Amino acid sequence: MLVKICGNKSISDAINTASMGADFCGILVGQKYPSNDFVDRQTACAMVHELKKTNSGCIPVMVTHEVDPNWIADTTKKIGVSALQLHGGSTPEQVQLVKKLMPEDFIIITAVHVTTYNETLKNLLQYMKTPTNYYLLDTKDEALNKVGGTGRVHDWSVSSRIVSEFPKIKFILAGGLNPENVRSAISKIRPYGVDVNSGTKGKDNTKDICKIKKFIEQAKNSV
């Protein structure tokens, strides 16, 4: 079970995420929608540099709301990442162009928000011909205009149906996951991986290493 810990904001966050056994370390850069989890390029670059020094195998992922392919390509190169999560509603054409601007083995994760089955399927199908490596099924909060990090679970029956109908696609489940519900989510939906942000935060809204550890253990031991 692939595990991505998102919303890391400091070098210690990144190192803790890697040391606990996460596969992907999400770092948010390029904000368009409400969120308290974004960092600037300089901070992201320092985080990636220190993460690579751990030799843990944990891959830093730049998560962005930006959709301009040239900005994205320039920023990923300056930060030094080899993986990207498009979370701002990039068009299929923009995804294609991003890939063309990247090295051959560059990883792309495309977010698809889960609403009704028909709408979710429509959103997913438009990206089917893009060079996306993973699709992230997430929750969107329309009232707060938040496209991620909502802490809210979506309709798992929709995600389960989508995952079962496309068995060759690598889906990462997100949206309201935490150490207490991740095993149940995996059991019901059978995704390729899981993603967590707010579910690994403490009362002060910063990353809680105990919650990170428990989430990863629960996810990895669920299969």
Side-chain angles (χ1 to χ4, degrees):
M1 180 59 54
L2 181 147
V3 177
K4 175 174 170 281
I5 306 295
C6 203
N8 297 282
K9 298 173 66 176
S10 67
I11 290 173
S12 61
D13 283 349
I15 292 176
N16 287 339
T17 288
S19 67
M20 291 299 105
D23 301 287
F24 287 165
C25 174
I27 304 169
L28 281 70
V29 183
Q31 182 177 0
K32 292 281 189 179
Y33 300 94
S35 173
N36 296 319
D37 298 319
F38 278 75
V39 299
D40 57 31
R41 286 189 185 188
Q42 184 177 4
T43 301
C45 187
M47 291 170 65
V48 171
H49 178 72
E50 293 301 319
L51 183 59
K52 289 179 177 178
K53 285 167 61 176
T54 67
N55 293 316
S56 62
C58 183
I59 298 173
V61 180
M62 188 184 93
V63 181
T64 189
H65 292 166
E66 292 285 352
V67 298
D68 178 69
N70 291 307
W71 184 93
I72 291 171
D74 179 65
T75 304
T76 56
K77 290 172 185 174
K78 287 180 177 177
I79 293 174
V81 295
S82 58
L84 166 72
Q85 181 175 311
L86 297 169
H87 215 100
S90 298
T91 66
E93 293 75 20
Q94 288 170 327
V95 178
Q96 293 277 12
L97 186 50
V98 166
K99 182 62 176 179
K100 289 181 180 179
L101 296 170
M102 301 299 185
E104 185 69 27
D105 58 350
F106 196 89
I107 298 170
I108 294 180
I109 304 168
T110 300
V112 174
H113 290 104
V114 178
T115 52
T116 65
Y117 169 75
N118 288 336
E119 187 174 338
T120 305
L121 179 62
K122 180 181 177 181
N123 290 338
L124 174 64
L125 290 176
Q126 70 174 327
Y127 293 111
M128 284 298 191
K129 293 184 179 180
T130 67
T132 294
N133 300 95
Y134 303 90
Y135 290 93
L136 185 125
L137 301 174
D138 203 1
T139 305
K140 186 175 184 178
D141 189 328
E142 297 282 1
L144 297 178
N145 198 30
K146 296 183 72 173
V147 296
T150 65
R152 294 176 56 187
V153 173
H154 56 255
D155 187 345
W156 283 354
S157 68
V158 174
S159 292
S160 178
R161 186 174 173 186
I162 292 289
V163 170
S164 66
E165 290 179 358
F166 298 93
K168 293 184 180 180
I169 290 179
K170 296 177 179 178
F171 289 105
I172 299 174
L173 180 68
L177 297 182
N178 56 56
E180 284 69 44
N181 69 8
V182 66
R183 292 191 72 158
S184 176
I186 291 170
S187 175
K188 292 177 180 178
I189 300 168
R190 312 306 299 178
Y192 185 86
V194 288
D195 176 287
V196 63
N197 183 349
S198 58
T200 50
K201 289 181 179 179
K203 293 182 179 180
D204 60 354
N205 208 39
T206 61
K207 287 298 185 190
D208 183 324
I209 190 170
C210 294
K211 289 186 177 181
I212 293 174
K213 182 176 185 291
K214 187 176 179 181
F215 183 90
I216 294 173
E217 287 176 346
Q218 290 293 311
K220 294 287 187 181
N221 293 331
S222 66
V223 194

mmCIF file with all atom_site columns, all heavy atoms in Angstrom, residues 73-94:
data_model
loop_
_atom_site.group_PDB
_atom_site.id
_atom_site.type_symbol
_atom_site.label_atom_id
_atom_site.label_alt_id
_atom_site.label_comp_id
_atom_site.label_asym_id
_atom_site.label_entity_id
_atom_site.label_seq_id
_atom_site.pdbx_PDB_ins_code
_atom_site.Cartn_x
_atom_site.Cartn_y
_atom_site.Cartn_z
_atom_site.occupancy
_atom_site.B_iso_or_equiv
_atom_site.pdbx_formal_charge
_atom_site.auth_seq_id
_atom_site.auth_comp_id
_atom_site.auth_asym_id
_atom_site.auth_atom_id
_atom_site.pdbx_PDB_model_num
ATOM 1   N N   . ALA A 1 73 ? 6.840  23.614 -14.657 1.00 0.00 ? 73 ALA A N   1
ATOM 2   C CA  . ALA A 1 73 ? 8.113  23.003 -15.044 1.00 0.00 ? 73 ALA A CA  1
ATOM 3   C C   . ALA A 1 73 ? 9.292  23.743 -14.433 1.00 0.00 ? 73 ALA A C   1
ATOM 4   O O   . ALA A 1 73 ? 10.239 23.127 -13.915 1.00 0.00 ? 73 ALA A O   1
ATOM 5   C CB  . ALA A 1 73 ? 8.229  22.972 -16.564 1.00 0.00 ? 73 ALA A CB  1
ATOM 6   N N   . ASP A 1 74 ? 9.239  25.065 -14.464 1.00 0.00 ? 74 ASP A N   1
ATOM 7   C CA  . ASP A 1 74 ? 10.318 25.879 -13.905 1.00 0.00 ? 74 ASP A CA  1
ATOM 8   C C   . ASP A 1 74 ? 10.453 25.665 -12.404 1.00 0.00 ? 74 ASP A C   1
ATOM 9   O O   . ASP A 1 74 ? 11.553 25.517 -11.867 1.00 0.00 ? 74 ASP A O   1
ATOM 10  C CB  . ASP A 1 74 ? 10.049 27.354 -14.210 1.00 0.00 ? 74 ASP A CB  1
ATOM 11  C CG  . ASP A 1 74 ? 11.113 28.273 -13.630 1.00 0.00 ? 74 ASP A CG  1
ATOM 12  O OD1 . ASP A 1 74 ? 12.277 28.184 -14.061 1.00 0.00 ? 74 ASP A OD1 1
ATOM 13  O OD2 . ASP A 1 74 ? 10.791 29.069 -12.730 1.00 0.00 ? 74 ASP A OD2 1
ATOM 14  N N   . THR A 1 75 ? 9.305  25.617 -11.714 1.00 0.00 ? 75 THR A N   1
ATOM 15  C CA  . THR A 1 75 ? 9.325  25.478 -10.264 1.00 0.00 ? 75 THR A CA  1
ATOM 16  C C   . THR A 1 75 ? 9.787  24.094 -9.816  1.00 0.00 ? 75 THR A C   1
ATOM 17  O O   . THR A 1 75 ? 10.559 23.964 -8.864  1.00 0.00 ? 75 THR A O   1
ATOM 18  C CB  . THR A 1 75 ? 7.934  25.791 -9.678  1.00 0.00 ? 75 THR A CB  1
ATOM 19  O OG1 . THR A 1 75 ? 7.528  27.100 -10.109 1.00 0.00 ? 75 THR A OG1 1
ATOM 20  C CG2 . THR A 1 75 ? 7.959  25.757 -8.159  1.00 0.00 ? 75 THR A CG2 1
ATOM 21  N N   . THR A 1 76 ? 9.343  23.055 -10.503 1.00 0.00 ? 76 THR A N   1
ATOM 22  C CA  . THR A 1 76 ? 9.778  21.704 -10.125 1.00 0.00 ? 76 THR A CA  1
ATOM 23  C C   . THR A 1 76 ? 11.290 21.554 -10.291 1.00 0.00 ? 76 THR A C   1
ATOM 24  O O   . THR A 1 76 ? 11.951 20.914 -9.475  1.00 0.00 ? 76 THR A O   1
ATOM 25  C CB  . THR A 1 76 ? 9.069  20.622 -10.961 1.00 0.00 ? 76 THR A CB  1
ATOM 26  O OG1 . THR A 1 76 ? 9.284  20.861 -12.352 1.00 0.00 ? 76 THR A OG1 1
ATOM 27  C CG2 . THR A 1 76 ? 7.582  20.585 -10.672 1.00 0.00 ? 76 THR A CG2 1
ATOM 28  N N   . LYS A 1 77 ? 11.824 22.166 -11.340 1.00 0.00 ? 77 LYS A N   1
ATOM 29  C CA  . LYS A 1 77 ? 13.275 22.087 -11.574 1.00 0.00 ? 77 LYS A CA  1
ATOM 30  C C   . LYS A 1 77 ? 14.047 22.843 -10.498 1.00 0.00 ? 77 LYS A C   1
ATOM 31  O O   . LYS A 1 77 ? 15.085 22.376 -10.014 1.00 0.00 ? 77 LYS A O   1
ATOM 32  C CB  . LYS A 1 77 ? 13.603 22.629 -12.961 1.00 0.00 ? 77 LYS A CB  1
ATOM 33  C CG  . LYS A 1 77 ? 13.130 21.726 -14.087 1.00 0.00 ? 77 LYS A CG  1
ATOM 34  C CD  . LYS A 1 77 ? 13.291 22.381 -15.450 1.00 0.00 ? 77 LYS A CD  1
ATOM 35  C CE  . LYS A 1 77 ? 12.697 21.513 -16.554 1.00 0.00 ? 77 LYS A CE  1
ATOM 36  N NZ  . LYS A 1 77 ? 12.706 22.180 -17.873 1.00 0.00 ? 77 LYS A NZ  1
ATOM 37  N N   . LYS A 1 78 ? 13.549 24.015 -10.120 1.00 0.00 ? 78 LYS A N   1
ATOM 38  C CA  . LYS A 1 78 ? 14.246 24.820 -9.109  1.00 0.00 ? 78 LYS A CA  1
ATOM 39  C C   . LYS A 1 78 ? 14.183 24.167 -7.730  1.00 0.00 ? 78 LYS A C   1
ATOM 40  O O   . LYS A 1 78 ? 15.132 24.251 -6.955  1.00 0.00 ? 78 LYS A O   1
ATOM 41  C CB  . LYS A 1 78 ? 13.644 26.221 -9.062  1.00 0.00 ? 78 LYS A CB  1
ATOM 42  C CG  . LYS A 1 78 ? 14.029 27.073 -10.273 1.00 0.00 ? 78 LYS A CG  1
ATOM 43  C CD  . LYS A 1 78 ? 13.424 28.470 -10.208 1.00 0.00 ? 78 LYS A CD  1
ATOM 44  C CE  . LYS A 1 78 ? 13.896 29.297 -11.400 1.00 0.00 ? 78 LYS A CE  1
ATOM 45  N NZ  . LYS A 1 78 ? 13.286 30.646 -11.420 1.00 0.00 ? 78 LYS A NZ  1
ATOM 46  N N   . ILE A 1 79 ? 13.069 23.518 -7.440  1.00 0.00 ? 79 ILE A N   1
ATOM 47  C CA  . ILE A 1 79 ? 12.923 22.855 -6.139  1.00 0.00 ? 79 ILE A CA  1
ATOM 48  C C   . ILE A 1 79 ? 13.671 21.524 -6.112  1.00 0.00 ? 79 ILE A C   1
ATOM 49  O O   . ILE A 1 79 ? 14.178 21.103 -5.083  1.00 0.00 ? 79 ILE A O   1
ATOM 50  C CB  . ILE A 1 79 ? 11.431 22.648 -5.814  1.00 0.00 ? 79 ILE A CB  1
ATOM 51  C CG1 . ILE A 1 79 ? 10.767 24.009 -5.588  1.00 0.00 ? 79 ILE A CG1 1
ATOM 52  C CG2 . ILE A 1 79 ? 11.238 21.753 -4.597  1.00 0.00 ? 79 ILE A CG2 1
ATOM 53  C CD1 . ILE A 1 79 ? 9.272  23.932 -5.395  1.00 0.00 ? 79 ILE A CD1 1
ATOM 54  N N   . GLY A 1 80 ? 13.727 20.863 -7.271  1.00 0.00 ? 80 GLY A N   1
ATOM 55  C CA  . GLY A 1 80 ? 14.480 19.613 -7.357  1.00 0.00 ? 80 GLY A CA  1
ATOM 56  C C   . GLY A 1 80 ? 13.657 18.360 -7.159  1.00 0.00 ? 80 GLY A C   1
ATOM 57  O O   . GLY A 1 80 ? 14.180 17.336 -6.701  1.00 0.00 ? 80 GLY A O   1
ATOM 58  N N   . VAL A 1 81 ? 12.360 18.422 -7.499  1.00 0.00 ? 81 VAL A N   1
ATOM 59  C CA  . VAL A 1 81 ? 11.514 17.239 -7.337  1.00 0.00 ? 81 VAL A CA  1
ATOM 60  C C   . VAL A 1 81 ? 11.402 16.459 -8.645  1.00 0.00 ? 81 VAL A C   1
ATOM 61  O O   . VAL A 1 81 ? 11.609 16.994 -9.732  1.00 0.00 ? 81 VAL A O   1
ATOM 62  C CB  . VAL A 1 81 ? 10.090 17.617 -6.861  1.00 0.00 ? 81 VAL A CB  1
ATOM 63  C CG1 . VAL A 1 81 ? 10.134 18.208 -5.474  1.00 0.00 ? 81 VAL A CG1 1
ATOM 64  C CG2 . VAL A 1 81 ? 9.416  18.577 -7.836  1.00 0.00 ? 81 VAL A CG2 1
ATOM 65  N N   . SER A 1 82 ? 11.065 15.185 -8.510  1.00 0.00 ? 82 SER A N   1
ATOM 66  C CA  . SER A 1 82 ? 10.861 14.322 -9.676  1.00 0.00 ? 82 SER A CA  1
ATOM 67  C C   . SER A 1 82 ? 9.430  13.794 -9.721  1.00 0.00 ? 82 SER A C   1
ATOM 68  O O   . SER A 1 82 ? 9.131  12.849 -10.436 1.00 0.00 ? 82 SER A O   1
ATOM 69  C CB  . SER A 1 82 ? 11.833 13.142 -9.647  1.00 0.00 ? 82 SER A CB  1
ATOM 70  O OG  . SER A 1 82 ? 11.659 12.396 -8.456  1.00 0.00 ? 82 SER A OG  1
ATOM 71  N N   . ALA A 1 83 ? 8.565  14.424 -8.912  1.00 0.00 ? 83 ALA A N   1
ATOM 72  C CA  . ALA A 1 83 ? 7.156  14.028 -8.862  1.00 0.00 ? 83 ALA A CA  1
ATOM 73  C C   . ALA A 1 83 ? 6.302  15.257 -8.606  1.00 0.00 ? 83 ALA A C   1
ATOM 74  O O   . ALA A 1 83 ? 6.695  16.176 -7.882  1.00 0.00 ? 83 ALA A O   1
ATOM 75  C CB  . ALA A 1 83 ? 6.920  12.976 -7.788  1.00 0.00 ? 83 ALA A CB  1
ATOM 76  N N   . LEU A 1 84 ? 5.111  15.250 -9.205  1.00 0.00 ? 84 LEU A N   1
ATOM 77  C CA  . LEU A 1 84 ? 4.232  16.414 -9.170  1.00 0.00 ? 84 LEU A CA  1
ATOM 78  C C   . LEU A 1 84 ? 2.785  15.977 -8.997  1.00 0.00 ? 84 LEU A C   1
ATOM 79  O O   . LEU A 1 84 ? 2.353  14.997 -9.611  1.00 0.00 ? 84 LEU A O   1
ATOM 80  C CB  . LEU A 1 84 ? 4.371  17.177 -10.499 1.00 0.00 ? 84 LEU A CB  1
ATOM 81  C CG  . LEU A 1 84 ? 3.336  18.243 -10.842 1.00 0.00 ? 84 LEU A CG  1
ATOM 82  C CD1 . LEU A 1 84 ? 3.534  19.472 -9.959  1.00 0.00 ? 84 LEU A CD1 1
ATOM 83  C CD2 . LEU A 1 84 ? 3.467  18.635 -12.316 1.00 0.00 ? 84 LEU A CD2 1
ATOM 84  N N   . GLN A 1 85 ? 2.049  16.714 -8.172  1.00 0.00 ? 85 GLN A N   1
ATOM 85  C CA  . GLN A 1 85 ? 0.608  16.486 -8.045  1.00 0.00 ? 85 GLN A CA  1
ATOM 86  C C   . GLN A 1 85 ? -0.126 17.725 -8.523  1.00 0.00 ? 85 GLN A C   1
ATOM 87  O O   . GLN A 1 85 ? 0.010  18.809 -7.952  1.00 0.00 ? 85 GLN A O   1
ATOM 88  C CB  . GLN A 1 85 ? 0.230  16.183 -6.599  1.00 0.00 ? 85 GLN A CB  1
ATOM 89  C CG  . GLN A 1 85 ? -1.254 15.900 -6.408  1.00 0.00 ? 85 GLN A CG  1
ATOM 90  C CD  . GLN A 1 85 ? -1.565 15.482 -4.987  1.00 0.00 ? 85 GLN A CD  1
ATOM 91  O OE1 . GLN A 1 85 ? -0.894 14.607 -4.438  1.00 0.00 ? 85 GLN A OE1 1
ATOM 92  N NE2 . GLN A 1 85 ? -2.560 16.098 -4.373  1.00 0.00 ? 85 GLN A NE2 1
ATOM 93  N N   . LEU A 1 86 ? -0.913 17.552 -9.582  1.00 0.00 ? 86 LEU A N   1
ATOM 94  C CA  . LEU A 1 86 ? -1.700 18.647 -10.147 1.00 0.00 ? 86 LEU A CA  1
ATOM 95  C C   . LEU A 1 86 ? -3.045 18.679 -9.422  1.00 0.00 ? 86 LEU A C   1
ATOM 96  O O   . LEU A 1 86 ? -3.874 17.793 -9.586  1.00 0.00 ? 86 LEU A O   1
ATOM 97  C CB  . LEU A 1 86 ? -1.887 18.436 -11.647 1.00 0.00 ? 86 LEU A CB  1
ATOM 98  C CG  . LEU A 1 86 ? -0.588 18.449 -12.465 1.00 0.00 ? 86 LEU A CG  1
ATOM 99  C CD1 . LEU A 1 86 ? -0.845 17.978 -13.888 1.00 0.00 ? 86 LEU A CD1 1
ATOM 100 C CD2 . LEU A 1 86 ? 0.027  19.841 -12.468 1.00 0.00 ? 86 LEU A CD2 1
ATOM 101 N N   . HIS A 1 87 ? -3.251 19.737 -8.632  1.00 0.00 ? 87 HIS A N   1
ATOM 102 C CA  . HIS A 1 87 ? -4.432 19.788 -7.769  1.00 0.00 ? 87 HIS A CA  1
ATOM 103 C C   . HIS A 1 87 ? -5.249 21.062 -7.990  1.00 0.00 ? 87 HIS A C   1
ATOM 104 O O   . HIS A 1 87 ? -6.040 21.461 -7.124  1.00 0.00 ? 87 HIS A O   1
ATOM 105 C CB  . HIS A 1 87 ? -4.009 19.697 -6.303  1.00 0.00 ? 87 HIS A CB  1
ATOM 106 C CG  . HIS A 1 87 ? -4.980 18.947 -5.457  1.00 0.00 ? 87 HIS A CG  1
ATOM 107 N ND1 . HIS A 1 87 ? -4.800 17.632 -5.097  1.00 0.00 ? 87 HIS A ND1 1
ATOM 108 C CD2 . HIS A 1 87 ? -6.169 19.312 -4.904  1.00 0.00 ? 87 HIS A CD2 1
ATOM 109 C CE1 . HIS A 1 87 ? -5.818 17.227 -4.356  1.00 0.00 ? 87 HIS A CE1 1
ATOM 110 N NE2 . HIS A 1 87 ? -6.669 18.234 -4.218  1.00 0.00 ? 87 HIS A NE2 1
ATOM 111 N N   . GLY A 1 88 ? -5.054 21.702 -9.123  1.00 0.00 ? 88 GLY A N   1
ATOM 112 C CA  . GLY A 1 88 ? -5.750 22.965 -9.364  1.00 0.00 ? 88 GLY A CA  1
ATOM 113 C C   . GLY A 1 88 ? -6.702 22.947 -10.537 1.00 0.00 ? 88 GLY A C   1
ATOM 114 O O   . GLY A 1 88 ? -7.177 23.989 -10.980 1.00 0.00 ? 88 GLY A O   1
ATOM 115 N N   . GLY A 1 89 ? -6.990 21.745 -11.059 1.00 0.00 ? 89 GLY A N   1
ATOM 116 C CA  . GLY A 1 89 ? -7.924 21.652 -12.175 1.00 0.00 ? 89 GLY A CA  1
ATOM 117 C C   . GLY A 1 89 ? -7.292 21.853 -13.529 1.00 0.00 ? 89 GLY A C   1
ATOM 118 O O   . GLY A 1 89 ? -7.915 22.415 -14.441 1.00 0.00 ? 89 GLY A O   1
ATOM 119 N N   . SER A 1 90 ? -6.064 21.391 -13.704 1.00 0.00 ? 90 SER A N   1
ATOM 120 C CA  . SER A 1 90 ? -5.398 21.477 -15.008 1.00 0.00 ? 90 SER A CA  1
ATOM 121 C C   . SER A 1 90 ? -6.230 20.775 -16.075 1.00 0.00 ? 90 SER A C   1
ATOM 122 O O   . SER A 1 90 ? -6.854 19.747 -15.816 1.00 0.00 ? 90 SER A O   1
ATOM 123 C CB  . SER A 1 90 ? -4.014 20.816 -14.945 1.00 0.00 ? 90 SER A CB  1
ATOM 124 O OG  . SER A 1 90 ? -3.175 21.466 -14.025 1.00 0.00 ? 90 SER A OG  1
ATOM 125 N N   . THR A 1 91 ? -6.241 21.336 -17.273 1.00 0.00 ? 91 THR A N   1
ATOM 126 C CA  . THR A 1 91 ? -6.930 20.684 -18.383 1.00 0.00 ? 91 THR A CA  1
ATOM 127 C C   . THR A 1 91 ? -6.078 19.519 -18.876 1.00 0.00 ? 91 THR A C   1
ATOM 128 O O   . THR A 1 91 ? -4.865 19.472 -18.621 1.00 0.00 ? 91 THR A O   1
ATOM 129 C CB  . THR A 1 91 ? -7.150 21.661 -19.545 1.00 0.00 ? 91 THR A CB  1
ATOM 130 O OG1 . THR A 1 91 ? -5.859 22.034 -20.085 1.00 0.00 ? 91 THR A OG1 1
ATOM 131 C CG2 . THR A 1 91 ? -7.898 22.900 -19.096 1.00 0.00 ? 91 THR A CG2 1
ATOM 132 N N   . PRO A 1 92 ? -6.672 18.574 -19.597 1.00 0.00 ? 92 PRO A N   1
ATOM 133 C CA  . PRO A 1 92 ? -5.878 17.477 -20.167 1.00 0.00 ? 92 PRO A CA  1
ATOM 134 C C   . PRO A 1 92 ? -4.733 17.994 -21.044 1.00 0.00 ? 92 PRO A C   1
ATOM 135 O O   . PRO A 1 92 ? -3.637 17.420 -21.029 1.00 0.00 ? 92 PRO A O   1
ATOM 136 C CB  . PRO A 1 92 ? -6.907 16.692 -20.982 1.00 0.00 ? 92 PRO A CB  1
ATOM 137 C CG  . PRO A 1 92 ? -8.200 16.942 -20.282 1.00 0.00 ? 92 PRO A CG  1
ATOM 138 C CD  . PRO A 1 92 ? -8.124 18.368 -19.822 1.00 0.00 ? 92 PRO A CD  1
ATOM 139 N N   . GLU A 1 93 ? -4.976 19.068 -21.760 1.00 0.00 ? 93 GLU A N   1
ATOM 140 C CA  . GLU A 1 93 ? -3.929 19.642 -22.612 1.00 0.00 ? 93 GLU A CA  1
ATOM 141 C C   . GLU A 1 93 ? -2.773 20.179 -21.785 1.00 0.00 ? 93 GLU A C   1
ATOM 142 O O   . GLU A 1 93 ? -1.600 20.039 -22.151 1.00 0.00 ? 93 GLU A O   1
ATOM 143 C CB  . GLU A 1 93 ? -4.526 20.763 -23.479 1.00 0.00 ? 93 GLU A CB  1
ATOM 144 C CG  . GLU A 1 93 ? -5.529 20.304 -24.531 1.00 0.00 ? 93 GLU A CG  1
ATOM 145 C CD  . GLU A 1 93 ? -6.885 19.947 -23.947 1.00 0.00 ? 93 GLU A CD  1
ATOM 146 O OE1 . GLU A 1 93 ? -7.208 20.398 -22.814 1.00 0.00 ? 93 GLU A OE1 1
ATOM 147 O OE2 . GLU A 1 93 ? -7.632 19.196 -24.615 1.00 0.00 ? 93 GLU A OE2 1
ATOM 148 N N   . GLN A 1 94 ? -3.088 20.780 -20.646 1.00 0.00 ? 94 GLN A N   1
ATOM 149 C CA  . GLN A 1 94 ? -2.038 21.284 -19.762 1.00 0.00 ? 94 GLN A CA  1
ATOM 150 C C   . GLN A 1 94 ? -1.236 20.143 -19.145 1.00 0.00 ? 94 GLN A C   1
ATOM 151 O O   . GLN A 1 94 ? -0.019 20.251 -18.991 1.00 0.00 ? 94 GLN A O   1
ATOM 152 C CB  . GLN A 1 94 ? -2.659 22.168 -18.672 1.00 0.00 ? 94 GLN A CB  1
ATOM 153 C CG  . GLN A 1 94 ? -3.139 23.512 -19.190 1.00 0.00 ? 94 GLN A CG  1
ATOM 154 C CD  . GLN A 1 94 ? -3.956 24.289 -18.178 1.00 0.00 ? 94 GLN A CD  1
ATOM 155 O OE1 . GLN A 1 94 ? -4.677 23.698 -17.367 1.00 0.00 ? 94 GLN A OE1 1
ATOM 156 N NE2 . GLN A 1 94 ? -3.851 25.613 -18.214 1.00 0.00 ? 94 GLN A NE2 1
#
